[in-house]
Amino acid sequence: MTAAMTTSSFPFGPVSAVRGRAVVIAGDDIDTDRIIPARFLKCVTFDGLGEQVFADDRAELSGEHPFDRAELQGASVLVVNRNFGCGSSREHAPQALMRWGIRALVGESFAEIFYGNCLALGIPCFTASHASVLSLQEALIADNYQELSLSLATASLENSQGQLWQLELQSGPQQMLASGQWDATSQLLANDGELARTAASLPYINGF
Amino acid sequence: MSAGTLYDKVWDLHRVAQLPGGSTQLFIGLHLIHEVTSPQAFAALKDLGLPVRLPERTVATVDHIVPTTSQARPFADPLAEEMLATLERNCSDYGIPLHGLGSGRQGIVHVIAPELGLTQPGMTVACGDSHTSTHGAFGAIAFGIGTSQVRDVLASQSLSMGKLKVRRIWVGGQLQPGVYAKDLVLHIIRVLGVKGGVGYAYEFAGPAIDALTMEERMTLCNMAIEGGARCGYVNPDAVTFAYLQGRPYAPKAQAWERAVAWWRGLASGADAVFDDEVRFDAAAIAPTVTWGITPGQGIGVDETVPTLEQTEPDERPLAQEAYRYMDLQPGTPIAGTAVDVCFIGSCTNGRLSDLQAAAAVAKGRHVAPGIKAFVVPGSEQVAAAAEAEGLDQVFREAGFEWREPGCSMCLAMNPDRLEGRQISASSSNRNFKGRQGSATGRTLLMSPAMVAAAAIAGKVCDVRQMINTTP
Ligand code: SF4
């Protein structure tokens, strides 16, 4: 398996655009066990996961998997179909994709926990209609996976031919990414007084 | 928009603040942690120099990586040993109680928290594990989270969340003998699909749900996530209170009376408004078995594997992938499918009543030649209770192995796994490609009684025939 680790830094600060080649993984209901099989969860850091992403699917296709194709190395956008990332809550799945190089996803729909995990890493998940995703996937293949660019502000994607796709990005995640506040910890810590009041109002915290 | 449901009430009680991105900061009443999804969260906490905000609202156990044959330390697998050692160190550094091996309270996180009385109605429960939905059986709002969120809960005892819609799943009638909560939930997912619940909390209600025991309600809510719903719940009632009373962490004496009064008031009222409602008839449900590679690809044990024409057009690519992977012929009966391995256990079906149902089938019968069959209790308490009733003996005499508690072959992070193309009858919750430890291994999901029947027959068969006849 060729290790295709990008050396570029992980998302940090405001995220306003993602540029790069896009890789297509077709199919509905691609679960997190396929993105990163459970045996690779035996780790106490996420460091090695980029090499293990889609391990079983890649082994099955012996070199023909999109993540192994030479021309797609260094790609930063992943285009998928419906309910991508369903199954387990393992953050190892978006971590593995991120460590391989993915910085944004486009698909018809995403499983909720997966979506939230991506956001917590600074990776936007754009959605689009069934027809739009199919047309995008076809165009990417026809265009031989040339560079494209995604704008968070307009939730749009433009390919090297100047073709434009209107996507959707929920306004909450859009704002969080644009402001660089997609990492929730500091926001949550800012409201400690309110948190203590909420806790104090709950019967089960106070022995009823 | 929903109003007056248990979900709405618990949500409102736990709201801390509105966050800049538009989401809500939600207080988390109970945070459960285990060895797989917590080490990176603790590492991040250390990097940030932050303490654990409420260590007394955090509880740990070890379940995913523990071997089930010998649990002597150090484990034979150095990676597994390192994961447990890391958890032990983190718990001791931050003052978090750990129910470890041999404590009498260790087990799968979703089995031990209810049996210790930690999970209670009206709580918000979070854990770095998608099957946290299990705890909704008590009328808690319980959901799985990723590791960044585990870090957030450790640091702030709260999460940034968006509110879900609420769908009531009303189940009328009663389940027939030989048909269990597992069959009910596999049937619901078959009908509503694995994506059907995305964006929703599922409220399970109706006469069939009222009649379920707490353990059955846990099986049901456990698999809400397999239907795409991040959480599922049942309104608390007398069954809930009877289960909780006297458990180690349940309120005592006068606090108990006050707790019950508060819990009762949380249930969805007669005037509650739901975003959506779907109705089922429990009496029409047969023992259900999956034939494909998602938990939604299920059929009654008396049905045939659907042909392409029998599936919805947009489900066909997945059906074709499932035919290839599972090597099952469309149009042929699922009953009679030969199996290699039979696994009884997991957070879906590793509780005492699950083992009782399976033992009732196994008693006086014997596992078919060439079949590997094993039983993994969900916790040390389940194991002790089962052994006190002699269930371990029933299983051993019938040719099943009786193992130590843990997640085991549900996801095969320990030595229990399928080899090559082996096909399992499994009481667990996921039949994804490669889920049970072999990249080409195959899984048929079903109830524990159906797994026991498959072990005896050496192939998928209708357990109703075995419980109606004496061996
Ligand atoms: S039994 Fe299976 S689903 Fe449940 S927590 Fe363990 S690995 Fe996850």
Side-chain angles (χ1 to χ4, degrees):
Chain A
M1 189 181 296
T2 42
M5 306 289 297
T6 56
T7 45
S8 70
S9 58
F10 298 142
F12 180 79
V15 179
S16 58
V18 177
R19 269 177 215 90
R21 295 186 142 196
V23 47
V24 174
I25 298 281
D28 291 345
D29 304 316
I30 293 185
D31 58 74
T32 52
D33 279 80
R34 283 177 64 187
I35 301 172
I36 186 83
R39 62 182 181 280
F40 299 120
L41 310 190
K42 263 196 257 172
C43 54
V44 293
T45 73
F46 290 127
D47 297 345
L49 295 177
E51 292 163 35
Q52 295 150 347
V53 65
F54 289 115
D56 291 343
D57 286 6
R58 290 162 77 178
E60 190 183 331
L61 294 177
S62 39
E64 290 303 307
H65 189 277
F67 274 56
D68 285 324
R69 304 222 337 234
E71 72 275 27
L72 294 176
Q73 302 309 307
S76 49
V77 178
L78 175 60
V79 183
V80 299
N81 296 95
R82 287 193 305 178
N83 199 29
F84 186 80
C86 60
S88 125
S89 68
R90 62 186 70 157
E91 189 166 309
H92 304 67
Q95 284 277 356
L97 292 169
M98 178 179 80
R99 281 159 201 274
W100 186 84
I102 297 302
R103 294 291 178 272
L105 286 91
V106 179
E108 205 178 323
S109 60
F110 296 90
E112 277 170 40
I113 303 179
F114 178 85
Y115 186 100
N117 282 341
C118 285
L119 180 62
L121 299 178
I123 297 177
C125 293
F126 294 86
T127 54
S129 69
H130 182 65
S132 255
V133 170
L134 292 184
S135 87
L136 173 60
Q137 290 177 333
E138 275 169 28
L140 287 169
I141 294 163
D143 194 25
N144 205 17
Y145 304 99
Q146 293 304 306
E147 287 238 335
L148 47 76
S149 71
L150 274 159
S151 153
L152 273 78
T154 57
S156 60
L157 180 155
E158 192 178 350
N159 72 0
S160 64
Q161 317 281 317
Q163 269 178 291
L164 204 68
W165 279 264
Q166 190 54 50
L167 312 174
E168 277 173 48
L169 183 61
Q170 292 173 24
S171 65
Q174 194 273 338
Q175 285 174 35
M176 290 163 80
L177 289 161
S179 65
Q181 292 186 317
W182 41 269
D183 175 352
T185 319
S186 52
Q187 292 182 26
L188 295 171
L189 288 169
N191 300 321
D192 198 62
E194 289 92 330
L195 184 108
R197 274 196 291 283
T198 306
S201 72
L202 288 165
Y204 66 84
I205 300 287
N206 300 314
F208 292 94
Chain B
M1 220 168 65
S2 67
T5 69
L6 177 136
Y7 179 83
D8 290 283
K9 296 182 204 178
V10 174
W11 176 270
D12 288 345
L13 285 165
H14 291 80
R15 284 177 59 138
V16 173
Q18 202 66 25
L19 295 173
S23 59
T24 298
Q25 179 172 359
L26 201 69
F27 178 78
I28 299 303
L30 176 64
H31 184 204
L32 303 168
I33 60 172
H34 60 78
E35 76 282 13
V36 180
T37 55
S38 71
Q40 298 88 347
F42 280 110
L45 208 63
K46 279 193 184 119
D47 280 351
L48 296 168
L50 293 169
V52 174
R53 178 67 177 79
L54 286 180
E56 67 275 22
R57 304 305 306 171
T58 313
V59 177
T61 191
V62 57
D63 49 10
H64 287 66
I65 50 93
V66 295
T68 59
T69 40
S70 160
Q71 297 187 335
R73 300 283 298 277
F75 297 148
D77 176 351
L79 287 174
E81 177 61 28
E82 185 190 1
M83 292 181 84
L84 177 49
T86 304
L87 180 71
E88 289 170 331
R89 196 170 54 246
N90 286 326
C91 287
S92 108
D93 286 355
Y94 290 98
I96 294 168
L98 166 64
H99 299 295
L101 292 171
S103 65
R105 292 180 169 187
Q106 174 269 342
I108 306 172
V109 62
H110 310 309
V111 176
I112 71 155
E115 74 188 3
L116 290 171
L118 285 162
T119 306
Q120 295 170 14
M123 281 182 174
T124 44
V125 183
C127 172
D129 190 287
S130 57
H131 293 97
T132 308
S133 59
T134 310
H135 307 264
F138 291 81
I141 299 305
F143 41 80
I145 56 178
T147 296
S148 298
Q149 291 178 307
V150 174
R151 174 203 62 204
D152 290 346
V153 183
L154 290 171
S156 74
Q157 201 63 32
S158 64
L159 278 173
S160 162
M161 300 283 292
K163 200 174 173 194
L164 298 167
K165 292 185 280 189
V166 186
R167 170 177 296 147
R168 178 158 68 172
I169 298 191
W170 180 269
V171 191
Q174 294 299 325
L175 294 172
Q176 299 299 299
V179 183
Y180 303 88
K182 179 64 158 290
D183 302 301
L184 169 60
V185 70
L186 284 172
H187 180 82
I188 291 171
I189 300 168
R190 169 191 184 179
V191 173
L192 299 180
V194 292
K195 308 180 255 303
V198 173
Y200 285 93
Y202 278 175
E203 173 173 317
F204 298 104
I209 306 300
D210 295 341
L212 296 178
T213 65
M214 282 315 294
E215 296 197 351
E216 292 171 317
R217 293 177 189 184
M218 286 187 245
T219 301
L220 178 65
C221 293
N222 173 278
M223 289 192 67
I225 185 67
E226 305 308 333
R230 196 163 179 186
C231 63
Y233 67 88
V234 176
N235 285 303
D237 62 8
V239 177
T240 321
F241 310 144
Y243 175 96
L244 277 170
Q245 193 160 24
R247 301 213 171 239
Y249 289 89
K252 311 255 171 339
Q254 276 156 18
W256 170 259
E257 302 301 330
R258 292 194 297 272
V260 170
W262 187 65
W263 293 339
R264 269 189 214 288
L266 296 171
S268 298
D271 55 352
V273 180
F274 298 88
D275 292 285
D276 172 334
E277 181 176 271
V278 188
R279 290 187 167 243
F280 288 90
D281 174 14
I285 297 172
T288 300
V289 182
T290 61
W291 57 271
I293 52 174
T294 79
Q297 290 174 316
I299 47 175
V301 65
D302 42 12
E303 293 179 56
T304 52
V305 176
T307 60
L308 216 47
E309 296 68 45
Q310 289 169 326
T311 55
E312 294 293 326
D314 61 348
E315 297 289 338
R316 287 178 191 168
L318 196 66
Q320 283 174 310
E321 197 178 338
Y323 299 147
R324 274 197 302 276
Y325 187 83
M326 297 299 291
D327 203 16
L328 296 176
Q329 290 308 309
T332 58
I334 192 76
T337 304
V339 297
D340 304 302
V341 178
C342 294
F343 167 62
I344 296 172
S346 86
C347 60
T348 312
N349 282 128
R351 297 184 182 79
L352 184 62
S353 58
D354 299 313
L355 306 191
Q356 288 167 333
V361 174
K363 193 176 174 73
R365 295 189 168 99
H366 204 277
V367 170
I371 305 281
K372 175 187 172 69
F374 63 113
V375 183
V376 183
S379 70
E380 292 181 355
Q381 285 201 52
V382 170
E387 285 164 11
E389 286 183 20
L391 300 186
D392 56 328
Q393 273 312 318
V394 172
F395 282 120
R396 282 204 185 92
E397 279 162 22
F400 290 79
E401 292 173 51
W402 177 255
R403 298 286 191 83
E404 307 276 357
C407 293
S408 181
M409 208 179 70
C410 174
L411 95 166
M413 275 186 76
N414 76 346
D416 308 331
R417 60 187 49 178
L418 295 179
E419 302 290 341
R421 294 280 291 150
Q422 277 184 329
I423 184 163
S424 77
S426 180
S427 73
S428 55
N429 42 52
R430 288 191 173 142
N431 52 345
F432 298 151
K433 286 172 148 187
R435 170 74 178 183
Q436 293 191 299
S438 159
T440 52
R442 298 170 290 167
T443 302
L444 307 174
L445 301 177
M446 58 189 82
S447 75
M450 283 282 287
V451 176
I456 305 293
K459 57 192 183 204
V460 175
C461 66
D462 190 337
V463 69
R464 291 174 297 189
Q465 286 156 10
M466 286 200 194
I467 50 183
N468 289 334
T469 54
T470 40

